[in-house]
Amino acid sequence: MAPPSGDRLRQTVEGVLLGTGRLWTRRETAERSGVRPERTERIWRALGFPTVDDDARVFTDADVDALRAGERLIEAGLITEESETMMVRALGHHLSRLAEWQVHTLWTWMNHSSANPGAGELMGHAATLLPEIELLQRHVWRRHLAAYADRLIAEAEEQPVSPLEGVAARKAEPVGSAAGEGLRTAGGGDVRNRSVGFTDMVGYTRMTRGLDSIELAGVLDRFESLTGDVVAEGRGRVVKTIGDEVLFICESASAAADIGLELTARTEAESRLPQVRTGLAHGAVLSRYGDVYGAAVNIAARLTAVARPDSVLVDTECASELAGMPAYELRTLRPVSVRGYSRLRPVLLRRPTTRQRGNSEPY
C-alpha cells in the first residue's frame, strides 16, 4: 500500500510524538521557561533545527519543560550556559541519526503493511510501539552510564586519593606519563593517554561499483557487526563508523593491538567482506561529547592510509608500549611522508610467526 500522506497524517504524527500541539512562539517559550530568547534560539540551532520567525507557533509544552530542565542543571552547577550549548549539540547530533533510522523503519513497516489499514490505525500501532522504543533506549542508556561509571570508579581506586580528590586533582594536572593520568578540560572534555585505531575496508570504492543498494547495505551491516563485536570483546569502544571505516579507542596499547589483529583475522575468514587494514597510535587523546581528537587520532588515520591489506601498522609510541610483550612481533619500517607528517615511521605489528594472506612477507 502507499504510505498515508497529507496534512492530516502530519498532524497525527506530531500528536503522537510531541503530545500537545505547536502552541508557543519563541518569545512566549522564553517567557514561560524563564530562559532568555537569544539563548532559546541558540539551543534550538544547536539541536540542529533551523531558526524560526519570532511570530511562528512552533514550540510545545515539552519544549518549555526541556528548557526548564536545562536551567535546573545549571542551577545545580552540573553544567554552565556555555557547556549547555555543547551538550545540546552533541545530543542533537547523535539522537538525530537514531531518529532518522527509527522513522525510516516505521515508515517502511507502514508501507509494507499487508492489512492495508488506515492512517489512524497505523498511528495507533505506532503510538503503542513508541513507549517500547523509549523503554529500550532508556535501558541501553542506563547500561552505558553504569559501564562508564564503573570505569571511572576503577580508575579512582587505582589512585592514592579519594574519587572526589582525584577528580579535583585532574583538573589541575597535565597529561601524565603514566597510563590513565589525565586532564579534565574546561570545555567538558577529558584528556588522557589512550590508544586509537582506524580500520577500513580495502578497495571499498571499487567494490561498491558492482553492488546494488541492498547488497551494499548487507556489506556495511556485516562490517559494522563484525567490528563492533571485536571491539566490544576487546574492551574497547567504537567512537564512530564512517562509511567503510571504523574508529575505536582503548585504554591500553595491548588492547588496541589485540583488536587490530583480531579484526584482520576475522575478516580473512569472512567471505562477504573485503580485506581490511588498521592503523594504531598511542598518546594524549581528547574525548569530548562522544568524539575524540588529538595527534594520536590523526596519526592512526595516516597509518591506515599507508597500510597494506591484512596488515596492522602502529606508531612508535604504541610500539614502545608493546615492546617486550611476547604476544606481539614488531618490525620498524621506513619513514613515510603523509599529510601533516613528513617523516612518519610506521611499525608493522603481527603475531609471532604469523604470515599474511597470500604473501609471506607483506612489507
Side-chain angles (χ1 to χ4, degrees):
M1 83 175 203
S5 59
D7 292 339
R8 183 177 179 181
L9 176 59
R10 186 176 293 107
Q11 292 171 0
T12 304
V13 170
E14 287 197 356
V16 170
L17 297 177
L18 302 181
T20 60
R22 297 173 181 250
L23 304 173
W24 314 114
T25 66
R26 185 163 62 87
R27 187 167 298 280
E28 289 169 341
T29 301
E31 291 173 353
R32 295 178 70 85
S33 65
V35 179
R36 299 188 308 275
E38 62 272 16
R39 200 165 124 233
T40 64
E41 183 178 8
R42 184 170 68 246
I43 292 171
W44 187 249
R45 287 200 307 267
L47 283 170
F49 301 123
T51 302
V52 298
D53 295 334
D54 288 345
D55 57 352
R57 295 195 175 277
V58 172
F59 303 101
T60 68
D61 287 338
D63 292 313
V64 175
D65 291 340
L67 287 169
R68 289 172 178 166
E71 282 296 281
R72 291 192 292 271
L73 293 179
I74 292 174
E75 291 171 3
L78 183 64
I79 60 175
T80 65
E81 287 192 17
E82 291 74 21
S83 65
E84 177 190 47
T85 302
M86 293 182 285
M87 178 189 71
V88 167
R89 184 174 293 113
L91 285 172
H93 172 72
H94 294 291
L95 292 180
S96 67
R97 298 177 63 187
L98 181 62
E100 180 183 13
W101 170 78
Q102 291 171 337
V103 168
H104 175 75
T105 300
L106 286 170
W107 189 261
T108 301
W109 168 68
M110 291 167 60
N111 194 40
H112 289 85
S113 174
S114 59
N116 197 29
E121 185 177 350
L122 284 170
M123 286 301 100
H125 289 321
T128 302
L129 292 173
L130 185 61
E132 304 298 333
I133 296 173
E134 289 180 329
L135 187 151
L136 178 61
Q137 289 179 182
R138 185 170 65 250
H139 171 72
V140 174
W141 171 62
R142 286 181 176 272
R143 291 295 303 189
H144 278 291
L145 282 178
Y148 278 103
D150 184 66
R151 293 179 195 175
L152 186 61
I153 292 170
E155 291 172 5
E157 288 175 341
E158 295 175 358
Q159 304 298 324
V161 293
S162 71
L164 291 179
E165 290 172 338
V167 171
R170 283 200 298 270
K171 291 180 180 179
E173 292 178 358
V175 173
S177 58
E181 294 182 2
L183 170 69
R184 184 72 60 180
T185 68
D190 180 68
V191 180
R192 65 184 63 233
N193 290 329
R194 288 190 172 109
S195 289
V196 183
F198 275 95
T199 296
D200 73 0
M201 291 186 280
V202 179
Y204 172 79
T205 302
R206 182 175 62 255
M207 177 192 67
T208 58
R209 296 191 188 120
L211 300 179
D212 59 30
S213 58
I214 295 177
E215 292 171 328
L216 176 59
V219 170
L220 293 175
D221 286 345
R222 183 58 192 145
F223 176 69
E224 291 181 10
S225 296
L226 187 148
T227 54
D229 289 348
V230 171
V231 172
E233 290 166 9
R235 296 188 176 274
R237 177 173 74 85
V238 172
V239 178
K240 56 187 173 184
T241 54
I242 312 168
D244 64 328
E245 187 172 60
V246 61
L247 166 62
F248 61 91
I249 60 170
C250 299
E251 295 300 320
S252 68
S254 59
D258 290 340
I259 289 172
L261 293 168
E262 183 64 16
L263 285 171
T264 299
R266 293 268 188 103
T267 52
E268 280 185 305
E270 180 61 66
S271 61
R272 290 176 290 176
L273 291 177
Q275 296 166 289
V276 298
R277 54 187 179 178
T278 297
L280 304 174
H282 186 82
V285 177
L286 168 63
S287 297
R288 184 172 180 271
Y289 296 106
D291 212 339
V292 291
Y293 308 87
V297 180
N298 298 330
I299 291 172
R302 303 297 184 269
L303 289 173
T304 304
V306 299
R308 293 186 179 181
D310 289 340
S311 70
V312 179
L313 295 182
V314 306
D315 72 337
T316 53
E317 185 71 23
C318 188
S320 296
E321 294 285 319
L322 301 174
M325 296 185 182
Y328 313 110
E329 180 179 302
L330 300 164
R331 176 181 162 210
T332 303
L333 306 177
R334 292 188 301 271
V336 294
S337 178
V338 296
R339 181 163 57 92
Y341 301 90
S342 59
R343 288 183 60 82
L344 180 63
R345 185 175 289 278
V347 179
L348 178 64
L349 169 70
R350 56 191 176 189
R351 296 292 187 195
T353 72
T354 297
R355 292 294 179 261
Q356 304 294 327
R357 178 171 69 191
N359 192 344
S360 62
E361 186 59 61
Y363 284 85

